[in-house]
Amino acid sequence: MLFTIISFILFLPSLTSSSETWIKVGSWSSGAEFPVADIDSTLFTHFTHLTFDFAFINTSTYELSIVSDSEPSMFTFTQIVQQKNPSIVTLLSIMVLLGPGDTNLSTFYSMATQPSHRTSFIESSIDRARHYGFHGLDLCCVTPVTNTTKMEALGILLDEWRTAINRESKTSTRSPLILTMAGHYVPSKNSTSYPMESIRRNIDWVHIVSFFYHLPTMENFTGAHSALYDPSSNVSTDYGIKEWISRGLPAKKMVLGLVYEGYAWTLRNPSANEIGSPATGPAVTTDGSMSYKFIKSIMRCDGENVAYNSTYVTNYCINGSVWIGYDDVEAIRTKVSYAREKGLLGYRVSFVSNDYHRVLPKAAAIGITLLHAGYVPPEYVKRGIYSTKSDVYSFGVLLLQIISGKRNNCSHGLHEDFNLLDYAYDLWKSGKGMEFMDPSLDDINSSCKLVRCMQIALLCVQENPADRPSMLELSAMLKNENAAMNTPKRPAFSTRRDEDEVPVQKSTSEQEIWSVGDVSFTQTVAR
């Protein structure tokens, strides 16, 4: 029976199929290094939607303009990706910025503030989307401005756009085009804000642009350009998401922005190489930008020269005087788990072609699977630390689900759902372990083995990784029924505490030490 239980591990993904309904958007640029047709088809299985970047707004006619070099790939885009994944949905993304110097979004607001110009833009956008076979339109990078009239014009544009989309759908008897927009990480500027009522009515989702916070061309210190948290400022994704919600946009209308690129600074002093260290400007490239693939292969950011900062939730790599900030597997997993926990609609990845080997989409998928099924260990939820002891925790949750026939609906103790771990511990401690078991496993010849499995599983889901068995110890306990075992304490994420249990004392410096495998980590709690 023990080996049968172990074999169930192979079916872990099937337990979380409902996570597939989550929105997972990837963006593809016509100028990408690899043409769409040359990319392995398995890339597209990681996404539910793909955007084609970009169409533009004509500065004279205000109609949607297609760059001639992009048209051939745009025309075949939907056909090619649907050959590789028939269920994928494609959107044509419209860039409203003419370039870095177009800070006033002049062309866009000239269009949005004039009724005739809005009509030209709206009708041409719908026509182009249908002509090139797209299922929707995405308005990219409209930033909030202090001009109230312009913000009101954006709201009117969205109202008229949605009305025209619905009208075209009835006339053509085709499904209405999806309408999305990319929004600044904070929804307001000074006293003005995006037109939230119009956005709620008309936009299917807002992609929160959760990066470009710190750039080497703008600041003389190293920075986490896509920081999930920032203990020293409001320039962070978490702050922005909360602001959007407080302004009235539901979490289920937002998708979190991820980006597969990083930025390199030149350190002023190579020995001072943390986030916030003095720097003299960009390194390696003109503006310091570089793709994830370039960071991993050319800059050789792998192994001891890479660090993960769980306070900001970002990775950085040090090569002599070059400091590169980017998101690697740890950061991507944590951010996807964050989006799921906050009830967001999903996530959107910019520059998917930068990760040709699909390392980061797989990390995102693992983050969804583990969180949704309740397999995420406390050290990962709280600190972003993942190791073999984290795998042991996930195994313990799965083992409890298998022998009980019940599902753990309390992923990390933050909900009032059924907590299988607490339930198992209470029955085991009171000597009623067999009441926990699936009746189909209630065999008089195996009851001792079942209770032993229960005890092993409870040891695996201990709060402190040091209290969990190692992989070798776990294997020995499963294979040898006479192997000695420790007595489990109350499991992680418990909503209760035993009377004889000594509360965990936290220091005034708010530090916690986790022992993971043979390595100890000291993490400062920023929140």
Side-chain angles (χ1 to χ4, degrees), residues 55-57 62-66 92 94 121 124-125 128 137:
F56 298 89
I57 303 173
Y62 300 102
E63 293 184 349
L64 204 63
S65 175
I66 308 299
L92 176 59
I94 304 164
F121 169 75
S124 64
S125 69
R128 302 291 194 279
L137 290 159

Side-chain angles (χ1 to χ4, degrees), residues 174-442:
R174 289 182 285 190
S175 297
L177 292 170
I178 295 169
L179 184 58
T180 68
M181 67 173 282
H184 194 246
Y185 86 100
V186 286
S188 59
K189 189 171 184 178
N190 298 334
S191 60
T192 60
S193 173
Y194 284 120
M196 286 300 182
E197 288 295 330
S198 179
I199 289 174
R200 278 203 305 267
R201 284 194 305 269
N202 303 303
I203 296 295
D204 289 286
W205 68 75
V206 177
H207 154 223
I208 308 300
V209 182
S210 312
F211 38 88
F212 302 150
Y213 300 148
H214 304 282
L215 301 175
T217 54
M218 300 172 61
E219 296 165 332
N220 59 358
F221 58 87
T222 60
H225 81 97
S226 58
L228 181 58
Y229 303 104
D230 189 333
S232 61
S233 78
N234 292 332
V235 185
S236 71
T237 301
D238 179 62
Y239 176 83
I241 294 293
K242 291 175 179 176
E243 279 293 295
W244 275 92
I245 293 174
S246 70
R247 294 277 181 170
L249 188 67
K252 64 183 179 181
K253 279 269 190 179
M254 284 183 272
V255 299
L256 178 69
L258 305 173
V259 61
Y260 291 174
E261 71 172 12
Y263 285 86
W265 278 258
T266 301
L267 293 169
R268 189 179 299 277
N269 178 2
S271 62
N273 51 32
E274 300 291 335
I275 293 175
S277 295
T280 60
V284 186
T285 65
T286 303
D287 62 354
S289 66
M290 54 187 66
S291 70
Y292 177 78
K293 187 187 73 162
F294 187 92
I295 292 169
K296 301 298 285 187
S297 60
I298 306 301
M299 300 306 297
R300 301 186 183 280
C301 289
D302 201 7
E304 295 182 356
N305 65 334
V306 175
Y308 171 64
N309 186 300
S310 60
T311 300
Y312 291 84
V313 184
T314 192
N315 295 83
Y316 59 90
C317 169
I318 304 164
N319 280 331
S321 62
V322 176
W323 190 97
I324 307 168
Y326 68 106
D327 284 352
D328 212 332
V329 170
E330 301 93 336
I332 293 295
R333 284 180 178 172
T334 304
K335 289 180 178 180
V336 170
S337 297
Y338 168 92
R340 194 78 182 186
E341 170 59 31
K342 295 298 182 182
L344 304 190
L345 184 63
Y347 60 86
R348 182 186 189 273
V349 177
S350 294
F351 313 126
V352 294
S353 61
N354 286 349
D355 181 23
Y356 188 59
H357 297 291
R358 306 177 304 284
V359 174
L360 299 180
K362 291 177 181 178
I366 290 172
I368 297 170
T369 299
L370 292 176
L371 182 70
H372 190 71
Y375 300 128
V376 182
E379 68 272 17
Y380 182 80
V381 171
K382 298 175 182 178
R383 306 290 179 265
I385 298 172
Y386 205 90
S387 71
T388 56
K389 288 296 187 79
S390 305
D391 294 334
V392 168
Y393 178 93
S394 301
F395 175 86
V397 176
L398 180 60
L399 184 53
L400 288 173
Q401 292 187 154
I402 291 170
I403 63 177
S404 67
K406 298 180 175 64
R407 183 175 181 134
N408 180 35
N409 293 327
C410 188
S411 58
H412 23 77
L414 301 177
H415 307 293
E416 296 300 325
D417 301 324
F418 176 63
N419 190 333
L420 186 68
L421 279 57
D422 260 345
Y423 178 63
Y425 179 78
D426 289 339
L427 288 176
W428 177 84
K429 189 173 183 181
S430 62
K432 301 177 181 179
M434 286 307 297
E435 294 183 15
F436 180 76
M437 306 304 169
D438 186 329
S440 66
L441 300 177
D442 190 3

Side-chain angles (χ1 to χ4, degrees), residues 77-181:
F77 183 77
T78 299
Q79 179 184 359
I80 289 174
V81 299
Q82 287 198 324
Q83 285 175 352
K84 298 173 185 254
N85 179 0
S87 64
I88 207 160
V89 175
T90 62
L91 296 90
L92 176 59
S93 188
I94 304 164
M95 174 58 75
V96 302
L97 287 170
L98 294 180
D102 189 25
T103 55
N104 293 319
L105 306 172
S106 55
T107 300
F108 175 78
Y109 285 114
S110 292
M111 175 273 293
T113 54
Q114 296 294 323
S116 61
H117 295 169
R118 288 197 302 267
T119 300
S120 297
F121 169 75
I122 290 170
E123 291 182 353
S124 64
S125 69
I126 296 172
D127 178 71
R128 302 291 194 279
R130 293 299 193 190
H131 177 71
Y132 291 104
F134 291 97
H135 307 106
L137 290 159
D138 172 64
L139 184 65
C140 183
C141 308
V142 179
T143 56
V145 294
T146 56
N147 188 308
T148 303
T149 301
K150 290 181 178 180
M151 288 289 90
E152 291 174 350
L154 173 59
I156 295 170
L157 170 67
L158 298 180
D159 282 331
E160 293 179 357
W161 208 353
R162 174 56 69 186
T163 298
I165 285 173
N166 291 339
R167 183 172 58 246
E168 186 275 340
S169 174
K170 292 180 180 179
T171 303
S172 66
T173 68
R174 289 182 285 190
S175 297
L177 292 170
I178 295 169
L179 184 58
T180 68
M181 67 173 282

Side-chain angles (χ1 to χ4, degrees), residues 422 425-426 462-463 488-492 494 496-498 501:
D422 260 345
Y425 179 78
D426 289 339
Q462 295 296 285
E463 175 79 22
K489 304 172 187 176
R490 187 165 287 280
S494 177
R496 296 188 292 278
R497 186 177 298 279
D498 294 336
E501 185 177 352

Side-chain angles (χ1 to χ4, degrees), residues 49-63:
H49 299 69
L50 281 179
T51 66
F52 185 99
D53 304 344
F54 292 102
F56 298 89
I57 303 173
N58 187 288
T59 57
S60 300
T61 66
Y62 300 102
E63 293 184 349

